[in-house]
């Protein structure tokens, strides 16, 4: 199953499919079309799509941002029928590899405290939970958990085979 899912840059043409996927993933940030338009237009933005090339369906997406030596994952979702197949891991690995190539040394993200699946996912990918922002989220209200992954330089670049953060 996984072999037919390819990663490629997301473009404004993918907006409709990304919004449809977002609807199926309440854990993802509830972005409006303008938020994605800004990300596509941002030179520091990183927009990735996981596409099922056989069924011509969007299986997942990631939106991030790179600034100086820091990267941030801003939104991420994998479609329900494609979860637990390593697609989220591949999206994050690709984002971190690009971030490292562009000089980032660390990657931040924030996740709802109640989103246990995503917290377990990020922990499995070597992110450490560094702090908590009380009442950061609304609708429903929730704490934000700030996560950090250091990006080690090395001959193999960034690897995400479940190893702990360096
Ligand atoms: C979080 C999310 C992106 C994970 O995507 P995914 O493609 O299913 O994840 P992967 O298959 O790459 O999982 C990699 C590892 O993360 C961990 N993991 C993933 N989903 C998990 C879950 N529901 N519960 C516990 N651990 C989980 C596991 O260790 C997994 O490895 P394994 O399957 O070999 O055990 C997906 O569940 C999702 O889209 N959720 C809704 C949107 C969301 O919460 N986004 C995050 C916003 S911050």
């Amino acid at each position: 199953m996984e072999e037919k899912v390819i990663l490629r840059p997301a473009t404004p043409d993918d907006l409709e499919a990304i919004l449809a996927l977002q609807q199926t993933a309440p854990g993802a940030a509830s972005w409006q079309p303008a938020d994605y338009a800004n990300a596509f237009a941002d030179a520091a933005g990183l927009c990735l799509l996981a596409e099922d090339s056989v069924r011509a369906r969007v299986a997942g997406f990631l939106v991030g941002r790179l600034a100086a030596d820091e990267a941030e994952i801003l939104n991420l979702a994998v479609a329900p029928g494609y979860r637990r197949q390593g697609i989220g891991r591949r999206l994050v690995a690709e984002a971190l590899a690009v971030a490292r190539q562009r000089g980032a040394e660390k990657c931040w993200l924030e996740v709802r405290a109640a989103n246990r699946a995503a917290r377990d996912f990020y922990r499995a990918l070597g992110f450490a939970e560094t702090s908590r922002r009380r009442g950061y989220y609304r609708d429903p209200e929730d704490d934000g958990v700030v996560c950090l992954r250091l990006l080690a330089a090395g001959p193999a670049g960034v690897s995400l085979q479940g190893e702990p953060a360096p």
Side-chain angles (χ1 to χ4, degrees):
M1 186 90 170
E2 190 185 321
E3 305 77 59
K4 69 185 178 191
V5 175
I6 55 149
L7 302 192
R8 65 167 174 81
T11 74
D13 288 343
D14 300 311
L15 179 59
E16 205 173 314
I18 288 172
L19 287 168
L21 199 168
Q22 180 184 288
Q23 292 294 321
T24 70
S30 303
W31 279 17
Q32 300 301 309
D35 299 315
Y36 290 104
N38 289 338
F40 291 136
D42 185 354
L46 176 65
C47 305
L48 295 174
L49 203 76
E51 186 171 57
D52 182 334
S53 54
V54 174
R55 295 187 195 148
R57 282 189 201 149
V58 171
F61 70 86
L62 179 151
V63 181
R65 192 163 197 282
L66 311 172
D69 65 345
E70 298 195 352
E72 189 176 5
I73 294 174
L74 300 170
N75 208 353
L76 167 68
V78 171
Y82 289 91
R83 289 185 191 159
R84 298 309 286 264
Q85 297 170 33
I87 294 170
R89 183 188 291 272
R90 287 172 62 196
L91 282 164
V92 172
E94 177 66 14
L96 297 189
V98 172
R100 188 76 190 94
Q101 282 161 16
R102 294 200 209 161
E105 295 177 358
K106 56 187 77 165
C107 179
W108 296 96
L109 61 88
E110 185 152 320
V111 59
R112 281 178 176 272
N115 192 348
R116 292 296 337 177
R119 289 174 66 183
D120 287 346
F121 167 75
Y122 288 123
R123 194 174 302 117
L125 271 55
F127 282 82
E129 297 187 349
T130 60
S131 63
R132 200 167 171 119
R133 291 178 177 157
R134 299 276 167 211
Y136 182 78
Y137 288 102
R138 296 275 176 274
D139 300 323
E141 185 171 321
D142 199 357
D143 292 348
V145 177
V146 179
C147 301
L148 171 66
R149 168 73 147 87
L150 300 181
L151 310 181
V158 175
S159 167
L160 265 190
Q161 299 306 315
E163 83 279 28

